[in-house]
Amino acid sequence: MSEDSDQEKTEEPTSKRLEDAHKKGQIARSRELNTFVILMASSLLLLMLGGKMGNSLLTMMRSQFKLSRESIFDPTSPITHLKQVMWDGVMLSAPFLAVMVVAAIIAPLALGGWVFSWEAISPKLEKLDPIKGLGRLFALRGLIELVKALLKFFLIFAVAMLLIKHFVNELLGLGTENVDQAILHGTHIVGICFLVLSASLIAVVAIDVPYQLWDHSKKLKMTLQEIKDEMKESEGSPEVKGRLRRMQMEMAQNRMMAEVPKADVIVTNPNHYAVALKYDQNSNSAPKLVAKGVDLMAAQIRNIAIGANVPLLASPPLARALYYATDLDKEIPQGLYLAVAQVLAYVYQLKAARQNRWDEPLPPRNIKVPEEFKQDR
């Protein structure tokens, strides 16, 4: 027995499991709800249009079943009358057909929504397996369907008996009425009985809908191992990996940009490179590179630094050397100590001059960068 079969499906389905089930057409469905909606719509239409339909039926019978002498001896007359009767019958039943089609489309939307799946309607040989068929027949679902069928039978039988008892005198009295009145009265009785019988199915629907929702949720539940396997599969897909990398890069860039206003100086190329340095005078560590970028990223670093009043110093050789020789959030290499010390000395002089309103010092020129750190790019 596999490890998955030993585990109980106790976990709620993941979004991927729900999406896959929806694509396969595996959604909650209640045939009882669909039947109830169709029957109720048809019964209400019959009750509202019963009189008009009765009149139409009388008109059709009088016009098509009352033949003249010429029609009787005309060989084409039966075909003509048959065509007309068929057309009148179609027009008489058209409202019912239209209502049933609309109800059949709208009813599923109330429970599981509308979905179309080729996989759900494709033939499957496993459904022809008699052993599995017997298993489904004697399973819990088969027992539930049997209980529903018996409930519908006894419910409809009981309601029908009550209706017959209630309308028995009116039904017997139809024979004493003229034809026109009897047809109209009869269609009204049929409409009321149809409506009451359809409405009685609400008891079955009230049981079936919660059961179908529970059964659908139970089928989609997962074991802990299935969730772990799905996470591994999702993380292993190139799309998910690429999305994770983009998210990580965006988060790293956001953290880096948040450090720019805290920097002591921005060393620039001046246009293509930008490197942010920070030095803690109270520690024994060397200056640290807190942000770096090229082109658009460098421009963004410069803009944030200008908004935060962080000094900018143009030194192309030093900017390129720091960019390529120092990783983010790492101390600068020992070979660049002297060059960076010149930059920091200038920065401290500049800050003192601005605080005391002195003349600002000139930026250092010809900062020497060791040959091993020079970059020609």
Side-chain angles (χ1 to χ4, degrees), residues 44-115:
L44 288 173
L45 184 65
L46 178 62
L47 194 60
M48 291 186 296
L49 302 180
K52 184 177 180 180
M53 292 180 64
N55 291 328
S56 300
L57 182 62
L58 284 175
T59 302
M60 183 176 65
M61 294 175 66
R62 285 170 178 168
S63 62
Q64 302 304 325
F65 296 156
K66 183 179 180 181
L67 304 178
S68 63
R69 176 181 172 82
E70 292 78 9
S71 299
I72 294 175
F73 290 96
D74 185 1
T76 62
S77 178
I79 297 177
T80 302
H81 282 275
L82 178 61
K83 289 181 180 179
Q84 187 62 41
V85 169
M86 292 177 63
W87 175 251
D88 292 341
V90 169
M91 296 303 296
L92 191 63
S93 60
F96 281 96
L97 296 176
V99 168
M100 285 190 288
V101 169
V102 173
I105 294 175
I106 295 178
L109 298 177
L111 187 59
W114 180 257
V115 63

Side-chain angles (χ1 to χ4, degrees), residues 162-263:
L162 291 175
L163 289 172
I164 292 174
K165 182 178 180 181
H166 182 270
F167 287 107
V168 62
N169 293 329
E170 292 188 44
L171 291 173
L172 294 176
L174 292 176
T176 62
E177 301 176 3
N178 59 59
V179 176
D180 294 0
Q181 185 178 358
I183 291 178
L184 295 177
H185 192 185
T187 53
H188 179 71
I189 295 175
V190 170
I192 293 178
C193 293
F194 189 15
L195 178 62
V196 174
L197 287 171
S198 300
S200 65
L201 293 177
I202 189 67
V204 181
V205 174
I207 297 174
D208 186 62
V209 170
Y211 168 74
Q212 295 298 338
L213 292 173
W214 171 82
D215 185 59
H216 177 67
S217 176
K218 181 182 177 182
K219 288 180 180 178
L220 293 182
K221 283 191 174 182
M222 306 171 66
T223 64
L224 290 173
Q225 186 62 39
E226 286 176 336
I227 294 178
K228 291 178 182 178
D229 294 341
E230 183 180 292
M231 291 179 62
K232 290 180 181 178
E233 181 181 353
S234 299
E235 291 177 355
S237 64
E239 295 82 5
V240 174
K241 283 186 175 180
R243 186 164 53 191
L244 288 175
R245 282 195 296 268
R246 288 193 297 271
M247 292 175 61
Q248 291 170 354
M249 289 178 61
E250 291 176 358
M251 293 173 63
Q253 290 176 2
N254 291 335
R255 289 195 299 268
M256 183 180 71
M257 291 303 176
E259 294 297 322
V260 172
K262 305 175 186 178

